[in-house]
Amino acid sequence: MKLTAEEVKKIARLARLKLTDKEIEQYQSQLSEVLTYIKQLDEVKGTAGATRMTAATNVMSDDEVTNQPRTKELLAGAPLTEGDSIKVKAVFDE
Amino acid sequence: MSSQSSDVSRQTSDSTGAYLNRYDVKASMDALANGSLKDVPVAIKDIIVVANDYPSTAASKILEPFKSPYDATVIKKLSEAGAVITGKTNLDEFAMGSSTENSALGKTVNPWDESRVPGGSSGGSAAAVASGDAPLALGTDTGGSVRQPAAFCGVVGFKPTYGRVSRYGLVAMASSLDQAGMFGRKVEDVATLLQAVAGPDQEHDATSVDQPIPDFRKALTGDVKGLKVGLPKEYFIDGIQSEVEKAVRTAADELKAAGAEVTEVSLPHTKYSIAIYYIIMPAESSSNLARYDGIRYGLSVPDATSLLDTYLETREQGFGDEVKRRIMLGTYVLSAGYYDAYYKKAEAVRSVIRQEFDEVFKNVDVLLTPTTPTTAFKIGEKTDDPLRMYLNDIFTVPANLAGLPAISVPAGFDKQGLPIGLQLMGKQWDEETVLRTAHAYESKHDWHAKSPGDSK
């Protein structure tokens, strides 16, 4: 199987990636190669259900507020801020 | 420049490019011999966040300006144990790679041969320990990223059971596979480091588990009498370097001579490991890396025209080629109509792999295999062929899929003088047997005492 350029563009849109024409061409063949390789899993019939990594147990704690406000600290990493808010481009048209 | 530090461990310059940021610190190795980390230097893979004046980058342009407001749990525990952090080491961007060539921020070479890769993704941590810069280092292991560079650089590399060490503060790649791991020159030192960072972290990591924590150094008895060692035949395949196979088979004979019972076992679904891995890992990665949007922290492209444009431009400029490739692959296998065929199928076969290990571990205590099919490859040798690069992880990935503890121990050198690594895998939560076997093997050789640059 080989992915079409349109398929690669569609995945890129979903993944919020902007690709150059060269990248699209490159991913067409590289992703197709990997997808072909992983298709070998179809050989395995009959399986044991989903995986759970660890025997997790419930962790209980009292319903108390323990976190301190860290607004300044966290905003320090944001590229654009205004007051105590992070500034982003407008989502709606005026 | 100030005069040379009085401490031996800090005199080496960073000739291998092991560090992205090397801190100017004073440290001493004295306490290590007694199983203490007091003042002991530890290098940290730069995917583990540290709250200081230096950035925590994951070797990615998208995190290049990021300074963490908090310490990872493993960092907090190291500080409590008195360890000194020597700096942040290089890696493949977001730990995606097997050679450290995918770093967007630096180049690391193999201390034994500068024309070769140090392995990856924790290549900087492995090189820092191998070159003698730090006696210990932390890395992360999602598909072999501690064990494979340990093998390539001739040091000990250990991945504990999934859930043994907190993942809080490890920049997430594939959350069901990621685990912090340790590098050292000797098994004993690795046991000391494990002791310091092991344990549940119920406040911050719901997948960490409250299991009894043994004294790991006490497990190093040197005694393997009656130990049942399995050699899985699927790990001795065509294409494996003959010297690597010979080293592992010789190790089996040595363990036998020391009183262990060695038997051949079978794990028939091993051959599907890479296929499973290259569905689950990119799927989880693409979800985890969706958070890098240029809004809250890290790189942001200022002249974008809309919100969507901010995402697209930032991710275009911030992510490297391999990261984009895995995000694309992960997005594809999770997209509508493909989820059952890929992710669900991979999880189902993964459970078969786990069951197979459970069955084998009813009859043996530990599994002995090569860590990698070959010794360190040349820089640039595999960069144009992603699938070939991926297949390099064939022997290390299964332990991540099943959450098992696994170690790579130096097992000699090939004809070119490059280190060979052997791998031991154990039952979940049975780090002790893995460490005991590794230590017993190690104590019969002096490979761990050899350094790059010694006459061979």
Side-chain angles (χ1 to χ4, degrees), chain A residues 18 30 43-44 49 52 70, chain B residues 69 272 313 316 325 345:
Chain A
K18 197 176 98 176
Q30 288 179 342
E43 294 166 18
V44 185
R52 246 179 63 186
R70 303 178 69 181
Chain B
Y272 299 112
E313 290 293 340
E316 159 73 11
R325 187 156 40 238
K345 181 76 187 179

Side-chain angles (χ1 to χ4, degrees), chain B residues 259-273:
Chain B
E261 295 169 32
V262 180
T263 52
E264 187 177 89
V265 296
S266 178
L267 294 159
H269 285 79
T270 300
K271 62 177 174 181
Y272 299 112
S273 299

